[in-house]
Amino acid sequence: MKLPFKKALVTGGAGFIGSHLVEALVSAGCQVTVLDNLSSGNAANLKHLEGKFSFYQEDIREAKALHAAAEKCDVVFHLAAVVSVPLTIENPVDAAAVNEMGSLLVLDAARKQQVKRVVFSSSCAIYGDDPRLPKHEGMHPKPMSPYAVQKLAAEYYTSVFYNLYGIETAVLRYFNVYGPRQDPSSPYSGVISIFMTKALLNEAAVIYGDGNQSRDFIYVADVVKANLLAATAKNASGQVMNIGSGRGVRINKLWQTICALSGRSLDPRYTNKRPGDIVESVAGIERAKELLDFECEVSFEKGIELTFEWYRKNQRSEVG
Ligand code: UD1
């Protein structure tokens, strides 16, 4: 993809999604700066790109570093966050300092450094348990965790910066992102990373509830593509867009698919529904199609295959 901008800052660039974005930007010839405090990101995610980008090992709240990192950038992709919902429940104040105040600082640095556009990574968590499907951007937000409140607050700041200061912004509400490099080691890791690691260890998955709950899974390369389009599309400015596949997959079906790929037949162990677990989640994707001309290129079946291959090669022994 040929990009119409030269220099970009990726906050959270050493994380799962951020590192894939950095890779795409570097291979498109972009000058990339990463700012990451490595609290949940991992330098190993960028090892293969060593020497091809500038790196600030800093927190987004370190104003001096943030301003230096944003200097002369055309675009800021803001992905740095406390990404675990349960962590924000345990420690809402610390998480808000990063997810809310940190986001405000990123926007302000972008404004002062005259960055042209900021692309903010938000979450479908802001829809809460609204049972209506698909979830679309016109729905009234129903945040149910500090994480969702914090993402929503940052979305509002983003929109205020667009309206007050004329800085171009785009907000992407990710659904369930998966792919290579997603860390399976915590109980709150993405279900696909956990199930794949379990299957490779020949262990049964634990399914919370009856397994009929659905999720809209989106492959990380498609999320990267959405970011690149959001950084450049004329109509995206000032907009909020869902980034999902538009298709729901039940957790039981997910486990069966992974078992089939591993060549094993393992019955899952069912346990209590997770508190606050939503039942159905499917993204309405018309707005991203209309404004970004975005569509998922990687089907669920293909993405699962690619991801499984990666976990097979990078097998881990710890799993959530
Ligand atoms: C995801 C996001 C979260 C976001 C939320 C918005 C991830 C890792 N988390 O949470 O940041 O706020 O969407 O709605 O993408 N499950 C099992 N067994 C397991 C692990 C999970 O049955 O071992 C089930 C869960 O109960 C859930 C589903 O799989 O029903 C998906 O779980 P998970 O990957 O943790 O994502 P969400 O809870 O959807």
Side-chain angles (χ1 to χ4, degrees):
M1 189 177 194
K2 176 96 186 80
L3 298 173
F5 56 88
K6 288 199 180 78
K7 194 172 176 201
L9 166 63
V10 183
T11 71
F16 157 52
I17 302 173
S19 64
H20 285 276
L21 177 59
V22 171
E23 196 174 281
L25 289 165
V26 166
S27 63
C30 191
Q31 208 182 321
V32 185
T33 302
V34 171
L35 187 136
D36 196 307
N37 66 359
L38 302 183
S39 60
S40 59
N42 186 346
N45 287 339
L46 295 172
K47 186 118 187 65
H48 60 299
L49 298 172
E50 230 166 50
K52 297 187 173 157
F53 65 96
S54 313
F55 183 59
Y56 288 79
Q57 188 180 337
E58 294 283 359
D59 192 290
I60 47 172
R61 290 163 295 170
E62 283 302 326
K64 215 171 149 199
L66 184 59
H67 278 257
E71 204 182 338
K72 298 204 170 69
C73 282
D74 305 297
V75 183
V76 171
F77 296 93
H78 177 36
L79 289 86
V82 175
V83 289
S84 154
V85 176
L87 262 186
T88 72
I89 294 173
E90 266 167 42
N91 216 333
V93 177
D94 284 354
V98 178
N99 293 347
E100 281 186 47
M101 186 52 84
S103 296
L104 178 56
L105 289 165
V106 169
L107 285 164
D108 203 45
R111 173 173 78 101
K112 290 181 177 144
Q113 296 299 330
Q114 295 174 317
V115 169
K116 197 145 185 285
R117 190 172 289 203
V118 176
V119 180
F120 173 57
S121 289
S122 188
S123 164
C124 65
I126 66 113
Y127 294 115
D129 64 355
D130 191 323
R132 290 172 297 167
L133 290 179
K135 315 266 184 181
H136 63 81
E137 297 86 346
M139 281 177 169
H140 194 67
K142 277 178 73 182
M144 290 170 62
S145 63
Y147 176 77
V149 172
Q150 291 156 13
K151 283 288 177 187
L152 190 59
E155 282 194 8
Y156 287 150
Y157 271 124
T158 306
S159 139
V160 164
F161 269 62
Y162 171 71
N163 288 314
L164 278 186
Y165 305 119
I167 175 165
E168 294 182 7
T169 61
V171 171
L172 304 180
R173 287 181 181 161
Y174 303 154
F175 280 66
N176 290 60
V177 188
Y178 72 98
R181 298 205 283 266
Q182 191 168 29
D183 180 6
S185 64
S186 123
Y188 312 119
S189 298
V191 64
I192 291 184
S193 68
I194 295 178
F195 279 12
M196 289 193 171
T197 312
K198 287 270 191 197
L200 285 164
L201 293 170
N202 205 14
E203 289 174 12
V206 174
I207 293 185
Y208 302 117
D210 62 8
N212 277 324
Q213 66 268 41
S214 67
R215 290 295 183 272
D216 185 323
F217 294 106
I218 176 160
Y219 188 64
V220 67
D222 279 324
V223 173
V224 167
K225 190 178 83 170
N227 271 275
L228 299 180
L229 290 169
T232 51
K234 280 204 174 63
N235 299 335
S237 192
Q239 300 286 343
V240 174
M241 291 152 278
N242 284 344
I243 300 300
S245 70
R247 169 180 168 193
V249 174
R250 304 207 179 277
I251 298 303
N252 282 327
K253 159 96 175 145
L254 173 67
W255 177 242
Q256 286 157 13
T257 309
I258 293 171
C259 278
L261 273 176
S262 70
R264 288 171 174 143
S265 163
L266 290 159
D267 286 333
R269 191 162 62 76
Y270 288 92
T271 187
N272 294 341
K273 183 174 178 283
R274 220 159 55 173
D277 220 19
I278 54 172
V279 182
E280 309 266 11
S281 178
V282 182
I285 50 173
E286 290 71 25
R287 198 184 278 185
K289 165 90 187 118
E290 183 195 327
L291 300 176
L292 302 179
D293 198 19
F294 170 76
E295 257 173 6
C296 281
E297 272 172 28
V298 184
S299 67
F300 170 72
E301 288 73 16
K302 182 73 196 161
I304 286 286
E305 223 180 281
L306 291 169
T307 307
F308 191 73
E309 226 14 76
W310 187 86
Y311 281 101
R312 199 200 293 276
K313 285 192 190 129
N314 298 272
Q315 196 163 357
R316 299 266 301 257
S317 53
E318 330 88 79
V319 62

